[in-house]
Amino acid sequence: MVIMFDSEYPSFSLDRPSRFDLSTYIGRAKHFYEITDPRTLLKSSPQIQQAKDLIQSFKDGNSVGVPSIELWQARALCNSALHPDTGVEIDRPWRFSAFGPVNVPIAALLLFPSTNPLFILGSQFINQTYNVLVNYNNRNASSEMSLKTLATAYGAAVTASGGIAVGLGRLATKIKSNAPLMVAMKRAVVPYVALVCAGIVNLALIRQTELTEGVSVFAEDGTPFGKSKVAGRDAIEKCAITRALWCIPICMPPFIMASLEKIPIMKANKKIALAVELVVIFACIQIGVPPALAAFPQRDSLPVNVLEEEFQNRTDGNGNRVDRVFFNKGL
């Protein structure tokens, strides 16, 4: 599902990372609806490179006369497909524009009413493997991680998520009520708690170097100041909150299906019921995840007085004293 907005485009500016006002929640939500548009997955690597070259050409002063709408569309494609720190193309499955389509079968597995430990472990293994790859590909690239550390973090994340899911699943079996609402709650609440807990564990482990080494911080004009552990911790905390928020729409389908399953055709035809549930899952994810991503700016900032001593009394490239530093929070 694609959310469309008005066709008005402001004059293009390199100082604005989006045509929307990212200082407001509504502006950020519109921005994330735009860059999570699954249609961008249909763009080829040459088309993405062409968009990147167009933005670079404008930066070099060689794109005079190019309509703003064309430049903003190129910027949106770059925001969707390229890593904000490195400018390198992210493989399609790990982009947030693929989050909705990829999570339809994963969410269907997680929400399936099974108490079989092997099924639950398998579902969590698939989900956390995908989450590890998404977290790694959308991390702050200023904090690198060795392959050994990545493998250890991956193993710990999958083990933790499986243990949490199985434990909560066993607790859910003690709820004996077969009322539709209670069945929906068991199908939704248990996966939600497991997803949130495991997702935060996954995030912290895969991006642990941001906690131990910090992330690169800059003045507003781009002057680099080094790495801050305080900024790294702030980034992880906000991303953890974001994951708790985006798990809400992922776990909503059981409640919606509890009402839809009362329709006669849904009761009579299991194939139609399954097809409708997959559509509901996709709609919930595609509509619900961008507002969660918008909770905090991706290019975030902190006042220097909360940072380490080394960042106090710094000046930017023009000699002006810096009161705030900026950094890529990651997604």
Side-chain angles (χ1 to χ4, degrees), residues 213-232:
E213 299 177 9
V215 296
S216 296
V217 295
F218 307 86
E220 191 168 10
D221 67 352
T223 303
F225 293 142
K227 292 186 177 182
S228 166
K229 292 181 183 179
V230 173

Side-chain angles (χ1 to χ4, degrees), residues 125 128-130 132 149-159 202 205-206:
F125 172 79
Q128 292 307 319
T129 299
Y130 175 68
V132 163
T149 304
L150 177 62
T152 302
Y154 167 66
V158 170
T159 301
N202 188 316
L205 289 171
I206 296 303

Side-chain angles (χ1 to χ4, degrees), residues 110-128:
L110 294 171
L111 297 172
F112 188 79
S114 174
T115 57
N116 185 320
L118 290 179
F119 181 87
I120 295 173
L121 286 171
S123 301
Q124 287 296 329
F125 172 79
I126 293 170
N127 180 52
Q128 292 307 319

